[in-house]
Amino acid sequence: MLWTANQVLRRFSTTSHYYQSKLKLALIGQSLFGQEVYTSLRKQGHKVVGVFTVPDKDGKADPLAVAAEKDGTPVFKFPRWRVKGQPIAEVVEAYKSVGAELNVMPFCSQFIPMNVIDHPRHGSIIYHPSILPLHRGASAINWTLIQGDAQAGFSVFWADDGLDTGPLLLQRSCSVEPNDTVDSLYNRFLFPEGIKAMVESVQLIADGKAPRVIQSEEGASYEGIQKKSNAKVNWAQPAEAIHNWIRGHDKVPGAWTVIDGQNVTLYGSSLLSGTPADGQPLEVEGLATPGLVTKTGLVLHGSDGKALLVKSLQFEDGKMIPASKFFSSGESSSVELSPEEQAQAEEIRAIWKGILSNVPAVVDTTDFFKSGAASMDVVRLVEEVKQRCGGVELQTEDVYMASTFQDFVQVFVRRLRGEDQEEELVVDYATQDINNMTVRMPHQCFINGQFEDAENGKTSDTINPADGSLICKVAASSVGDVDRAVAAAKEAFENGPWGRMNPRDRGSMLYRLADLMEEHQEELATIESMDSGAVYTLALKTHVGMSIQTFRYFAGWCDKIQGKTIPINQARPNRNLTFTRREPLGVCAIVIPWNYPLMMLAWKSAACLAAGNTLVLKPAQVTPLTALKFAELTVKAGIPKGVINIVPGSGGLVGQRLSDHPDIRKLGFTGSTPIGKHIMQSCALSNLKKVSLELGGKSPLIIFSDCDMDKAVRMGMSSVYFNKGENCIAAGRLFVEESIHDEYITRVVEEIKKMKIGDPLDRSTDHGPQNHKAHLDKLVEYCEVGVKEGATLVCGGRQVDRPGFFMEPTVFTGVEDHMFIAKEESFGPVMVVSKFKQGDVDGVLARANDTEFGLASGVFTQDISKAMYVSEKLDAGTVFINTYNKTDVASPFGGFKQSGFGKDLGEDALSEYLRTKAVTVEY
């Protein structure tokens, strides 16, 4: 979906080279990085004559091998290239047989003999995650952090017989942030920019422009891969050095220390500024000042008196806990009662005794429900306490949350003192007078029911695409912010009222939230239009309107989630009962795109909340404002704090941390296929968290000559230009039967000329701006590639000559199956049209299905038999017949193949956020 456009277009950012010299390449390496380099090089027109990678592991091929095998590229899986230091003759001969002109080694863990390295006429180039000559070796990126370097980066160098000592071809660098980790550097810079750099390097070689800069020996170093035994923390250092040591060893092998006589590994370090929060002292071996277990983690001090915060601890048995929970079993929350309060406690004891007449005496540990009380008794208790104890306001939920006498008295006393009153929500609004109203927009992180700045104070700009102006600065969440949000969500699920709430009460809260969204729909639609460029009328009806419908639909599901009883076959006498329970998963993460910011939030979070989970949501970095306004409305709706958390920020930092976090049990993502693959890998490696993915699309729309032409023109245009083409299910390619092809195109162009392009807040506007400038530039580039490939540009293809990020509605015809624009998603207002032979139903179906994507599809014909046949054969998660874009909250939505898996909307969506437990009872 959204990320597909970015990733695909990014890969041909070197379009100026598109028709220059090309090479025959051998790719030697592995991993997702190798796969992306391979795919990008082929898209640039280079011929990969052979892929040399590692053997399958546990029956699973490396991602590079998977991509190459799918394309029919020769793949060789050698376990080794040499034995006892000597090249294996058969392996070398197999390599030489492909006839490569250049070896490209994007990520290679094997030792490659020099007679292979030097064999091609252009030799070999290698990617290395360091600004050579600094930090040579396999763990270079770790040492960049361990040694506190201000700059990180990578090098592409010519291979020689030394250890990362060959001449340099190309280098790129980025700054290292104070709390960067290996993962954040990799995802923000080393991975995406490394792919582009490898492609650029190959093209420089092909064009005869590649430099060979001899590496200096000055500053050259080599640090080996750390062993666990060497990773113990030395506390006799400044806090920053300790922090660097911990983050540099994060994941592997893990920096450790000794606590209570056992080795404990430390993860998730960040530097602290200011005074640490109150907490409980913890003795750490070798640390002069005891650590401090606080609500946010374990505070540790360096030799300079400065502090760092560790988020997670792992014990020798492999168990990992939040550092804030180290003393959780010993925590006490009781308050001491005054004589007056003690007297009221005795009054409450008498009320309990009056209700629980079967109990000889009400003592501190007496449990209201275990003593036989029912729901009517709960109401009686609450009302009697109100009547006889000074009118203290209690809720029935208070009894369920504090079911023992001593706990109930504690709740009463806190309520009497006013200690449990909800804090007033403080919002630092950004305001704008626009669209005949004043819109008030939260712009901070929303964590545990409060708006607050990012931990490190960083912000990012959110831009109005209609004119390029700054709307406001929005908090850019750090890893620490994400960890605090997850901790709040976990606490809300495990110990807060949400996890114990009656499902019908939970549904009432979601209904109330939907009502508030409706009350604020004009403000939400205005913010959505400003932030995403959506035409206001569409934002009001679809972006906001469908969001409200979604919450109302799932609010109705809260008390209808059911298990079932199952007959089982056991030896006689069969006195067994087996039943299933549908339970929430726990803390869920949701990552949404920029094309429908509020609607995508609703599609995922409504089902998540209805199922009883808590959530941490990352909106797209360029469109965070409606998500933050939504957060404000959740407080007004009475959603308990910690249930919903919003952490704006970058995907490489915030999204990666959500993927990696051990306390998150499910991640729902909408975005590109490459990013989806990476998220799935991270989720698997972290804690096997459940994943649902709605990914890229290239949805076919088949228009037969027996269609209703007026409707086919109208709906065909909507299939492409709806929401200015920034639509995950947009028809990426239209197949029009040849007898009506020319008439169809003529009528489409006539209708395009009538479209009004302009201010999205103008009620008469048909077509608004693209979401952001980088996307607009890529759309223009996409059209240029289409022209260069030989497609006919009928109209459009350019930026509109006015302020803002406006793209002309575009039509291409004569698009052949092999062309880039026939295969890749534009994610913009570009109609890609191919004709097909009269009556060739199976032929056009084969062409329509010849894609790795399968999100949506459509067919226009008045022949019902043909329509049903085509709908059966189309390989996509959604098929539209004589309509398009008609989604409904009750109908499941999701893709096939590399468009992802899992469903949003409908009853099916609930299953994405539930687990099934089987219980068998013998009686």
Side-chain angles (χ1 to χ4, degrees):
M1 199 172 162
L2 113 85
W3 282 98
T4 299
N6 286 349
Q7 292 285 343
V8 165
L9 294 168
R10 185 175 66 187
R11 291 180 199 145
F12 62 85
S13 60
T14 53
T15 303
S16 58
H17 298 303
Y18 197 82
Y19 288 95
Q20 297 183 19
S21 304
K22 302 300 170 189
L23 294 174
K24 292 191 291 183
L25 308 174
L27 252 74
I28 305 175
Q30 62 200 89
S31 80
L32 187 62
F33 183 79
Q35 180 197 67
E36 289 296 312
V37 170
Y38 163 82
T39 303
S40 298
L41 287 169
R42 292 185 77 246
K43 279 186 173 24
Q44 287 291 314
H46 297 285
K47 182 176 179 59
V48 180
V49 294
V51 163
F52 299 83
T53 186
V54 293
D56 296 356
K57 186 173 182 181
D58 298 325
K60 184 177 180 181
D62 183 80
L64 174 58
V66 171
E69 287 169 342
K70 176 191 157 193
D71 294 332
T73 301
V75 176
F76 302 83
K77 302 176 183 180
F78 298 137
R80 63 188 62 82
W81 290 70
R82 60 178 192 163
V83 174
K84 296 181 179 179
Q86 297 302 311
I88 302 172
E90 312 90 83
V91 171
V92 173
E93 286 306 310
Y95 159 77
K96 290 180 178 179
S97 69
V98 302
E101 298 171 307
L102 173 70
N103 291 333
V104 179
M105 304 168 73
F107 178 81
C108 182
S109 61
Q110 297 174 310
F111 187 94
I112 310 301
M114 287 308 300
N115 58 343
V116 171
I117 294 290
D118 293 335
H119 180 73
R121 65 187 180 96
H122 291 295
S124 302
I125 60 170
I126 302 179
Y127 171 92
H128 191 273
S130 168
I131 310 171
L132 293 171
L134 188 62
H135 304 312
R136 294 173 173 163
S139 49
I141 183 173
N142 303 80
W143 285 99
T144 295
L145 296 174
I146 292 169
Q147 297 192 351
D149 294 350
Q151 293 283 309
F154 59 81
S155 305
V156 180
F157 68 98
W158 300 90
D160 68 357
D161 58 356
L163 183 65
D164 310 341
T165 57
L168 300 172
L169 191 161
L170 179 151
Q171 293 189 312
R172 296 283 186 270
S173 65
C174 69
S175 59
V176 178
E177 300 299 327
N179 291 320
D180 261 330
T181 63
V182 171
D183 281 349
S184 66
L185 283 173
Y186 181 74
N187 290 290
R188 184 176 82 242
F189 187 78
L190 299 178
F191 184 88
E193 295 303 318
I195 293 165
K196 291 193 285 189
M198 290 299 283
V199 175
E200 182 180 344
S201 298
V202 170
Q203 194 59 57
L204 287 170
I205 295 169
D207 294 340
K209 300 177 181 178
R212 289 177 178 263
V213 180
I214 303 301
Q215 284 193 50
S216 168
E217 287 301 313
E218 185 177 350
S221 63
Y222 181 83
E223 305 94 353
I225 298 173
Q226 283 288 78
K227 296 180 179 179
K228 188 74 173 182
S229 58
N230 297 332
K232 186 176 181 181
V233 178
N234 173 14
W235 297 111
Q237 302 179 87
E240 184 174 354
I242 296 169
H243 163 65
N244 290 337
W245 183 260
I246 295 172
R247 66 176 176 151
H249 289 85
D250 217 305
K251 303 287 186 189
V252 178
W256 58 278
T257 189
V258 178
I259 301 175
D260 284 350
Q262 66 170 312
N263 296 351
V264 178
T265 305
L266 313 176
Y267 293 107
S269 174
S270 59
L271 290 170
L272 276 184
S273 58
T275 304
D278 292 336
Q280 190 169 350
L282 175 65
E283 293 293 334
V284 178
E285 185 180 283
L287 188 61
T289 304
L292 201 63
V293 176
T294 72
K295 290 182 178 180
T296 55
L298 174 61
V299 177
L300 301 163
H301 288 86
S303 60
D304 57 354
K306 295 182 179 179
L308 58 135
L309 183 73
V310 169
K311 293 294 186 181
S312 301
L313 304 175
Q314 187 172 35
F315 298 98
E316 292 174 347
D317 62 1
K319 180 182 178 183
M320 182 178 283
I321 64 165
S324 60
K325 299 295 184 183
F326 189 88
F327 292 118
S328 58
S329 60
E331 289 179 352
S332 173
S333 59
S334 61
V335 296
E336 190 171 338
L337 276 58
S338 68
E340 295 80 6
E341 291 165 345
Q342 187 64 51
Q344 287 183 308
E346 291 307 313
E347 185 72 21
I348 294 172
R349 194 187 302 272
I351 296 171
W352 276 57
K353 184 68 179 79
I355 297 172
L356 305 176
S357 57
N358 59 313
V359 175
V362 174
V363 297
D364 285 352
T365 56
T366 299
D367 187 287
F368 195 68
F369 298 105
K370 291 179 180 178
S371 300
S375 58
M376 280 304 299
D377 297 315
V378 174
V379 176
R380 176 183 167 184
L381 173 61
V382 169
E383 294 304 318
E384 280 202 59
V385 170
K386 287 181 184 179
Q387 185 181 51
R388 294 169 59 177
C389 299
V392 173
E393 287 295 325
L394 293 171
Q395 306 294 327
T396 56
E397 194 62 35
D398 294 325
V399 186
Y400 290 105
M401 292 292 293
S403 62
T404 65
F405 179 75
Q406 62 183 355
D407 290 342
F408 184 80
V409 169
Q410 291 288 314
V411 170
F412 171 83
V413 171
R414 286 197 174 89
R415 199 66 50 80
L416 183 67
R417 296 177 181 181
E419 294 177 5
D420 279 355
Q421 292 180 358
E422 286 294 322
E423 299 176 31
E424 182 180 352
L425 182 66
V426 177
V427 187
D428 180 23
Y429 292 108
T431 62
Q432 282 205 24
D433 293 322
I434 192 169
N435 200 25
N436 301 317
M437 68 180 76
T438 299
V439 295
R440 305 198 308 164
M441 299 167 287
H443 57 90
Q444 299 166 293
C445 306
F446 182 72
I447 299 173
N448 205 26
Q450 295 293 323
F451 286 105
E452 54 189 69
D453 290 336
E455 185 178 65
N456 54 19
K458 289 192 173 183
T459 62
S460 61
D461 295 344
T462 185
I463 303 298
N464 187 336
D467 57 12
S469 64
L470 174 69
I471 301 173
C472 64
K473 291 184 176 292
V474 176
S477 304
S478 68
V479 168
D481 296 318
V482 176
D483 289 346
R484 287 188 298 109
V486 174
K490 186 177 181 184
E491 177 68 19
F493 180 77
E494 294 180 351
N495 301 314
W498 189 255
R500 306 177 192 179
M501 189 177 294
N502 182 297
R504 200 161 294 168
D505 293 337
R506 188 163 65 240
S508 296
M509 282 191 176
L510 295 183
Y511 276 123
R512 196 178 312 142
L513 177 57
D515 290 343
L516 282 165
M517 292 170 70
E518 188 168 48
E519 288 176 27
H520 290 263
Q521 61 182 332
E522 288 85 5
E523 186 177 19
L524 286 167
T526 301
I527 296 171
E528 190 88 335
S529 186
M530 290 168 56
D531 207 18
S532 76
V535 171
Y536 176 75
T537 50
L538 177 65
L540 194 62
K541 177 183 182 295
T542 301
H543 289 235
V544 178
M546 194 173 187
S547 300
I548 296 167
Q549 291 177 30
T550 303
F551 272 98
R552 286 195 173 131
Y553 174 81
F554 283 107
W557 267 110
C558 288
D559 60 353
K560 300 174 186 66
I561 298 170
Q562 301 174 359
K564 56 189 176 183
T565 59
I566 304 170
I568 62 172
N569 186 16
Q570 295 289 343
R572 293 182 182 180
N574 187 4
R575 301 175 63 85
N576 296 286
L577 169 67
T578 296
F579 62 92
T580 60
R581 297 170 53 93
R582 306 297 305 283
E583 299 178 342
L585 299 169
V587 181
C588 298
I590 292 172
V591 180
I592 57 174
W594 46 255
N595 58 330
Y596 293 102
L598 186 63
M599 194 172 79
M600 291 295 100
L601 176 154
W603 280 24
K604 287 182 171 15
S605 63
C608 172
L609 295 168
N613 301 286
T614 58
L615 68 90
V616 180
L617 182 139
K618 190 200 90 66
Q621 189 170 10
V622 291
T623 54
L625 295 179
T626 44
L628 294 170
K629 188 67 180 179
F630 167 82
E632 179 189 355
L633 298 181
T634 67
V635 177
K636 294 182 179 180
I639 306 291
K641 65 180 183 180
V643 173
I644 297 171
N645 304 271
I646 311 289
V647 281
S650 72
L653 187 70
V654 177
Q656 184 63 46
R657 180 56 182 157
L658 291 172
S659 301
D660 291 338
H661 204 292
D663 289 334
I664 291 174
R665 296 301 171 190
K666 157 72 194 280
L667 190 146
F669 171 74
T670 294
S672 78
T673 297
I675 297 297
K677 290 177 179 178
H678 180 74
I679 282 176
M680 192 172 176
Q681 183 181 44
S682 296
C683 289
L685 292 174
S686 57
N687 62 344
L688 279 177
K689 58 177 64 69
K690 189 175 182 180
V691 184
S692 58
L693 304 171
E694 192 234 299
L695 307 176
K698 186 66 173 175
S699 302
L701 174 58
I702 303 172
I703 301 174
F704 289 98
S705 58
D706 61 355
C707 67
D708 177 332
M709 180 63 86
D710 290 339
K711 191 173 186 181
V713 169
R714 184 176 71 255
M715 298 303 296
M717 292 182 65
S718 174
S719 75
V720 176
Y721 303 127
F722 188 82
N723 201 45
K724 7 93 175 198
E726 294 169 353
N727 187 23
C728 54
I729 58 172
R733 190 176 181 193
L734 277 67
F735 296 90
V736 182
E737 204 159 9
E738 60 185 2
S739 64
I740 63 167
H741 176 273
D742 293 349
E743 179 189 356
Y744 187 85
I745 297 301
T746 299
R747 292 187 59 175
V748 166
V749 173
E750 288 173 354
E751 293 301 314
I752 287 175
K753 292 176 181 177
K754 300 175 187 176
M755 292 172 66
K756 179 178 179 180
I757 302 173
D759 180 3
L761 293 173
D762 184 335
R763 299 332 189 242
S764 63
T765 295
D766 298 302
H767 189 76
Q770 306 308 136
N771 185 270
H772 50 280
K773 187 177 186 305
H775 183 50
L776 171 66
D777 293 342
K778 293 302 184 182
L779 287 172
V780 173
E781 191 174 7
Y782 183 94
C783 293
E784 290 172 354
V785 171
V787 171
K788 289 177 181 177
E789 287 190 313
T792 301
L793 179 64
V794 177
C795 64
R798 297 171 299 178
Q799 180 176 356
V800 178
D801 186 17
R802 58 169 293 155
F805 312 140
F806 293 86
M807 176 77 180
E808 294 178 344
T810 301
V811 176
F812 276 103
T813 61
V815 178
E816 301 295 331
D817 293 355
H818 68 274
M819 292 180 179
F820 182 85
I821 62 173
K823 294 182 175 295
E824 299 295 344
E825 182 181 34
S826 71
F827 211 66
V830 182
M831 181 179 284
V832 176
V833 185
S834 302
K835 67 173 66 174
F836 66 94
K837 292 179 181 180
Q838 200 70 23
D840 188 13
V841 177
D842 289 326
V844 73
L845 274 170
R847 295 171 70 190
N849 286 331
D850 186 21
T851 172
E852 270 301 296
F853 300 115
L855 192 55
S857 59
V859 55
F860 278 82
T861 175
Q862 295 188 83
D863 182 339
I864 187 63
S865 296
K866 185 192 298 180
M868 296 307 293
Y869 176 77
V870 170
S871 70
E872 179 185 340
K873 296 297 183 182
L874 282 169
D875 196 8
T878 297
V879 181
F880 299 108
I881 299 176
N882 294 328
T883 187
Y884 210 88
N885 285 324
K886 189 164 284 186
T887 53
D888 186 87
V889 294
S891 177
F893 177 89
F896 297 165
K897 300 186 288 189
Q898 291 197 45
S899 287
F901 51 83
K903 296 295 181 183
D904 292 324
L905 304 180
E907 183 180 359
D908 290 31
L910 287 168
S911 296
E912 302 297 332
Y913 296 94
L914 292 165
R915 63 186 186 184
T916 300
K917 178 184 288 181
V919 181
T920 297
V921 182
E922 184 174 289
Y923 58 92

